Amino acid sequence: MVSRRLRQPRLLAGLIISLLASSFVGTAAAKPLAAPAPDCLGALLDGQDELTLESLRGKVVYVDFWASWCPPCRHSFPVMQRLYAEFSASGFEIVAVNLDQEVSQARRFLKTNPVAFSVTHDNSGACPQAFGVQAMPTSYLIDKDGTVRWRHSGFQRGEEGRLRQIIRSLIEES
């Protein structure tokens, strides 16, 4: 029997895209880029003001688009937490942009998976559209000047080492 949640066309389509993306993760999914990052992160879930990429200029920023119902997204959170703990003192920030339709779903997920990095919510779809997100999770590394330098769709265990190398190289850039 299909749950009512999966009968919702938008959620079902997102789940299918997410699962397909996670199946094809590899070097083809990670792409170096060089384009200005859109400034559209949104309101923080902890009740603070809106967060913008402009306010994080001068830091290396990892922006991750996720949803609580996305299995690869759930697996990526412990990895992001470890990376944040390792690099935050060196000018590294993570912003996880939640795309659940209901913010309560994200809050429920974060109660059982607490993180120290920033989490925003965007159920309008404006921010993922501005970034060109096509699968979940999709992550972007933005350099200190606000330029998107790397994009990765999907998530599989074992990607942490490569990601660590890229973050370290961006932090070390002048």
Side-chain angles (χ1 to χ4, degrees), residues 74 77-78 81 107-117:
R74 286 189 233 132
F77 263 69
Q81 182 58 39
R107 287 192 172 109
R108 193 170 341 158
F109 173 84
L110 292 169
K111 278 186 181 182
T112 58
N113 301 280
V115 293
F117 52 82

Side-chain angles (χ1 to χ4, degrees), residues 84-159:
Y84 182 75
E86 182 177 345
F87 293 111
S88 63
S90 301
F92 176 67
E93 292 290 333
I94 293 178
V95 181
V97 181
N98 177 263
L99 304 178
D100 283 319
Q101 289 181 341
E102 300 293 328
V103 71
S104 61
Q105 295 168 328
R107 287 192 172 109
R108 193 170 341 158
F109 173 84
L110 292 169
K111 278 186 181 182
T112 58
N113 301 280
V115 293
F117 52 82
S118 299
V119 180
T120 66
H121 183 254
D122 178 4
N123 67 350
S124 72
C127 197
Q129 183 177 5
F131 270 88
V133 172
Q134 296 179 357
M136 290 212 309
T138 296
S139 303
Y140 297 82
L141 267 168
I142 301 165
D143 68 17
K144 297 172 188 175
D145 296 324
T147 301
V148 176
R149 299 281 296 277
W150 182 85
R151 179 185 71 212
H152 184 79
S153 297
F155 179 83
Q156 287 185 339
R157 290 182 175 103
E159 297 176 351

Side-chain angles (χ1 to χ4, degrees), residues 1-127:
M1 180 173 157
V2 176
S3 73
R4 181 172 19 180
R5 181 183 211 177
L6 291 179
R7 279 189 243 141
Q8 296 176 359
R10 189 170 174 188
L11 289 177
L12 181 58
L15 180 58
I16 291 168
I17 290 169
S18 177
L19 291 173
L20 288 173
S22 68
S23 299
F24 295 104
V25 171
T27 54
K31 298 179 182 175
L33 305 168
D39 197 17
C40 62
L41 296 178
L44 289 162
L45 284 186
D46 64 7
Q48 296 179 12
D49 294 332
E50 292 238 340
L51 183 63
T52 65
L53 282 173
E54 183 63 35
S55 69
L56 299 173
R57 187 70 52 104
K59 297 182 178 194
V60 173
V61 182
Y62 184 82
V63 177
D64 182 71
F65 292 92
W66 70 284
S68 63
W69 50 262
C70 164
C73 300
R74 286 189 233 132
H75 296 302
S76 71
F77 263 69
V79 171
M80 289 190 295
Q81 182 58 39
R82 285 192 297 273
L83 292 169
Y84 182 75
E86 182 177 345
F87 293 111
S88 63
S90 301
F92 176 67
E93 292 290 333
I94 293 178
V95 181
V97 181
N98 177 263
L99 304 178
D100 283 319
Q101 289 181 341
E102 300 293 328
V103 71
S104 61
Q105 295 168 328
R107 287 192 172 109
R108 193 170 341 158
F109 173 84
L110 292 169
K111 278 186 181 182
T112 58
N113 301 280
V115 293
F117 52 82
S118 299
V119 180
T120 66
H121 183 254
D122 178 4
N123 67 350
S124 72
C127 197

